[in-house]
Amino acid sequence: MPAVFLPFIAIFLVLFGVFPTAAQQSAAPQVQVKLGYLRAYEPQLALSVLDVAPRDEGVAGADVAIADNNTTGKFLGQTYTLDVTEVKLDADVKAATDELISKGVNYILADLSAEQLLSITDLARDRDVLIFNIGATDDRLREEACHSNVFHTAPTRSMLADGLAQYLVWKQWRRWVLIHGSHERDKLFADALRRAAERFGGEILLEKEFMDTGTARRTDSGVVQIQRQMPVFTQDFPEHDVVLVADESEVFGTYVPYRTWTPRPVAGTAGLIPSAWHPASEQWGGTQIQNRFAKANGRRMLWKDMAAWTAVRIVGEAVTRTQSAEAAKTADYLRSPDFSIAAFKGQKLTFRTWNGQLRQPIFLGDGRSVVSTSPQEGFLHQVSELDTLGVDQPETTCVLD
């Protein structure tokens, strides 16, 4: 929304009693909402330089949402701040968490590994702090290792895989072969793809593991090597419709499209990629948030930026509705039927009460455009079609503490 319209909207809301008048503002208690952003960060290489993550990925989205919250918060006596703390990958994050909490932070946006996040959940719960997981896609954080003080705006691997599988099945491309990497993250996404195949009627005809030998495939000689290697690697595939790739570790996936022995579409972590957001999304008001984000940051909005933006906006919505910055009241509100959040995805989003996961559509896109959005037409559910993505309530192993 252009900034020029904000004063007129504010006047409208005051007239209709949604926002207080100036006199009411001065009499109303001022609420300061302190959020922390805890991220594990080190520069990471990617097979393509175009895929190297921006230095401020995630943080930039949170900053835009803080500005959004403060735009309306000034009419409600609310002030939002964000304290960003960085640690190294796999570092102990307890001390950093304790420092944020000692500054009065009630809400922590966590861009951490699953192990790091689990190491601070009890500490945060004992100090009445809510954690919003904006980065880790591990299903176990929402299932056997779930916690009542953790809400997830990042999707799970199973949600991503289900969103992709629905589209492939809708296209009648049901015969798949799967190439997965040798690292743990790759195997977890491969597990999610196998689950999705069984759930929606896809058939994985053959699987192959691509071992990480540590060679520098971004060099010129490496590109020549992979161009020769990939056709041979895929030569023995049976007749199939799609090649699925599970390569979260960025070892080989980028080199699969256009290099297989048989010309077939590629999907997964390369080719057609499922994600919680796409930088080219313009539907459902997406142009509005994309333009505001680009103006503030000089780049397009990535999925982690959207996950962070959504988390901060959720806090703003909860504080406004409950008239309190207390984490306990926010948690109760987020689990209530009264909560929903608009996030430029075509429908209002809500949390799954059984594991704290945000229901959300999954975007399917290539490097330039959104190809489709799941849930796909025809995949029905008795509660919400969004619950066809990921672990549904009858399947959950989560027992909230």
Side-chain angles (χ1 to χ4, degrees), residues 137-211:
T137 58
D138 303 66
D139 281 84
R140 67 188 179 105
L141 293 176
R142 291 81 162 170
E143 296 304 314
E144 63 268 23
C146 65
H147 289 268
S148 60
N149 65 319
V150 182
F151 291 86
H152 309 269
T153 59
T156 62
R157 288 186 177 93
S158 63
M159 292 170 66
L160 298 171
D162 286 353
L164 176 60
Q166 283 189 14
Y167 179 72
L168 299 181
V169 169
W170 181 81
K171 289 286 292 180
Q172 298 297 315
W173 298 341
R174 295 176 179 268
R175 299 174 300 170
W176 309 337
V177 292
L178 171 61
I179 309 174
H180 63 81
S182 56
H183 294 276
E184 181 64 21
R185 290 185 296 163
D186 310 329
K187 294 176 181 179
L188 288 172
F189 189 57
D191 287 342
L193 291 170
R194 295 186 196 100
R195 174 186 174 276
E198 182 177 353
R199 193 178 196 195
F200 297 112
E203 183 181 5
I204 298 179
L205 304 171
L206 179 72
E207 296 185 22
K208 294 190 77 171
E209 182 177 67
F210 194 104
M211 291 297 299

Side-chain angles (χ1 to χ4, degrees), residues 1 32 38 58-59 65 69 72 109 117 149-150 214 244-245 257 264 267 288 346 363:
M1 177 184 300
Q32 186 172 26
L38 182 57
V59 176
N69 282 1
T72 54
L109 277 62
L117 193 149
N149 65 319
V150 182
L244 297 181
V245 175
R264 293 292 184 269
Q288 176 195 133
F363 292 78

Side-chain angles (χ1 to χ4, degrees), residues 204-328:
I204 298 179
L205 304 171
L206 179 72
E207 296 185 22
K208 294 190 77 171
E209 182 177 67
F210 194 104
M211 291 297 299
D212 182 5
T213 59
T215 55
R217 280 182 289 273
R218 280 182 61 181
T219 63
D220 292 339
S221 60
V223 171
V224 173
Q225 175 189 356
I226 203 71
Q227 183 167 328
R228 293 174 178 172
Q229 182 180 4
M230 193 55 67
V232 175
F233 185 81
T234 59
Q235 186 174 4
D236 62 346
F237 285 173
E239 183 61 30
H240 58 283
D241 299 316
V242 178
V243 178
L244 297 181
V245 175
D247 178 36
E248 290 189 12
S249 302
E250 279 282 312
V251 172
F252 68 94
T254 299
Y255 297 136
V256 178
Y258 307 108
R259 295 178 175 91
T260 56
W261 183 267
T262 304
R264 293 292 184 269
V266 175
T269 59
L272 184 66
I273 301 174
S275 180
W277 183 248
H278 193 283
S281 178
E282 295 181 319
Q283 289 184 293
W284 309 302
T287 302
Q288 176 195 133
I289 185 65
Q290 297 274 26
N291 288 344
R292 285 196 290 116
F293 183 89
K295 182 178 180 180
N297 299 285
R299 63 174 178 83
R300 303 292 287 179
M301 193 176 201
L302 304 178
W303 79 264
K304 197 173 290 185
D305 296 310
M306 175 53 78
W309 182 91
T310 304
V312 175
R313 285 294 299 119
I314 285 171
V315 172
E317 179 71 14
V319 171
T320 297
R321 297 297 180 180
T322 63
Q323 308 259 321
S324 171
E326 294 179 23

